[in-house]
Amino acid sequence: MKHLLTYLSASVVLSAASFSAQAQFAKTEDAVKYRQSAFTLMGNHMGRLSAMARGQAPFDAAKAQESARLIETLSKLPWEAFPPGSKTKNSELKGDPWKDAAEFKQLQDKFQAEVVKFPASVATVEGLRAQLAAVGATCKACHDKFKE
Ligand code: ASC
């Protein structure tokens, strides 16, 4: 019994180790889905904020802050889900973010630098408009280079 338990706990440790060695995704398509899920959710919340900024939805500071905080959290997720070569037919990638890794990282950093200011900037509709434009510009800079 003791040997069995030792064996079982060793296997759990080993499979956990091999899971992390494969970087969190068993298949390339899992990584693509993971990063696209994060982008889809960010896009949804950017859309809610954009509707308030344009007056298509009533401005609500609490809702705006909730969306801004979610975008801040979600903005951290996609980047580990770009394993080398994960340009698939579903991936909407253009260019080569692995060859141009420094530029890809710089575009992510600029995006995150604006996103961290988001929650504090949406207390007024003017603040929301200004920071939505700043964040959107960093989305666009990366999309222009790397998104189909
Ligand atoms: C958004 C959104 C994007 C970016 C991009 C900025 O609101 O969903 O993908 O801003 O359109 O140009």
Side-chain angles (χ1 to χ4, degrees), residues 25-36:
F25 307 101
K27 291 182 291 181
T28 300
E29 216 44 53
D30 294 345
V32 173
K33 274 194 241 164
Y34 182 98
R35 70 198 191 209
Q36 288 183 343

Side-chain angles (χ1 to χ4, degrees), residues 84-142:
S86 58
K87 184 172 181 171
T88 67
K89 68 180 192 322
N90 297 321
S91 69
E92 297 178 50
L93 271 175
K94 81 178 169 197
D96 189 337
W98 302 283
K99 182 163 80 57
D100 297 328
E103 187 179 3
F104 188 43
K105 179 68 168 65
Q106 198 176 52
L107 289 163
Q108 290 163 33
D109 290 346
K110 286 184 176 167
F111 168 58
Q112 296 205 261
E114 294 304 332
V115 156
V116 295
K117 301 181 207 161
F118 222 167
S121 57
V122 300
T124 63
V125 73
E126 293 77 18
L128 163 61
R129 286 193 189 115
Q131 198 55 26
L132 185 67
V135 170
T138 65
C139 298
K140 184 174 188 305
C142 194

